[in-house]
C-alpha cells in the first residue's frame, strides 16, 4: 500500500474517507477491516473538527499486518471520554476508536497533537 498523505487545513470526513479507501483498495483488505478503518477515520476527523479546531494533517501508512491512521489537529490537550450516559447523543467517538484499534498513540506539540490509531488488518473477503 502506498503511503498517502494530505496535509491541508480543512480536510473533511468525506475526503479523509476517500483517501483511506484509495490507500486500502490495492491491499486486499477484508470488508470488516475496511469498515473499521473508515469508522476510525470518521471518528478521528470528526473529533478534530468538532473539538480541536480542525484537521491540520492526515496520513495513512502500511505496517506489517496493520494500518496506521494519523490525524493531526491544532489543540494540544488529550482526548477524553466524558462518561456521557447512553441516553445522551455524542461522546462515544474516542471510546469507539479505542475499541476498534490495537493501539493509539498521542503526540502533543505546542501547536496541537497527532493521534495515531493502529488497526490490525485481515486480508480476507469477510
Amino acid at each position: 500500500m502506498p503511503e498517502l498523505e494530505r496535509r491541508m487545513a480543512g480536510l473533511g470526513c468525506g475526503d479523509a474517507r476517500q483517501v483511506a479507501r484509495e490507500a486500502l483498495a490495492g491491499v486486499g483488505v477484508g470488508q470488516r477491516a475496511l469498515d473499521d478503518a473508515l469508522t476510525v477515520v470518521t471518528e478521528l476527523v470528526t473529533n478534530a473538527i468538532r473539538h480541536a479546531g480542525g484537521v491540520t494533517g492526515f496520513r495513512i501508512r502500511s505496517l506489517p499486518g496493520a494500518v496506521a491512521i494519523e490525524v493531526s489537529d491544532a489543540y494540544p490537550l488529550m482526548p477524553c471520554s466524558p462518561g456521557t450516559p447512553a441516553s445522551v447523543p455524542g461522546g462515544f467517538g474516542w471510546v469507539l476508536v479505542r475499541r476498534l484499534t490495537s493501539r493509539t498513540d498521542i503526540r502533543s506539540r505546542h501547536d496541537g497533537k497527532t493521534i495515531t490509531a493502529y488497526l490490525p488488518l485481515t486480508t480476507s473477503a469477510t
Side-chain angles (χ1 to χ4, degrees):
M1 166 174 66
E3 181 176 307
L4 293 174
E5 184 169 359
R6 298 241 174 126
R7 295 227 175 256
M8 65 176 79
L11 182 74
C13 285
D15 291 335
R17 287 172 64 89
Q18 187 59 38
V19 170
R21 276 191 195 94
E22 291 170 8
L24 297 171
V27 184
V29 172
Q31 187 63 47
R32 182 174 178 170
L34 177 61
D35 291 344
D36 288 351
L38 294 177
T39 298
V40 169
V41 165
T42 299
E43 292 300 332
L44 290 177
V45 169
T46 298
N47 286 348
I49 293 167
R50 186 175 285 169
H51 305 293
V55 174
T56 60
F58 179 75
R59 180 168 70 159
I60 296 181
R61 56 191 166 95
S62 178
L63 304 169
V67 63
I69 299 168
E70 295 182 7
V71 177
S72 300
D73 62 47
Y75 190 65
L77 297 182
M78 301 296 138
C80 64
S81 301
T84 306
S87 60
V88 176
F92 298 101
W94 184 238
V95 173
L96 185 57
V97 167
R98 300 290 305 269
R99 286 205 176 192
L100 291 174
T101 59
S102 59
R103 185 175 105 215
T104 55
D105 293 335
I106 305 169
R107 292 182 314 276
S108 186
R109 306 175 312 276
H110 72 281
D111 62 345
K113 68 180 165 301
T114 298
I115 298 175
T116 306
Y118 298 89
L119 276 83
L121 290 182
T122 58
T123 55
S124 66
T126 59

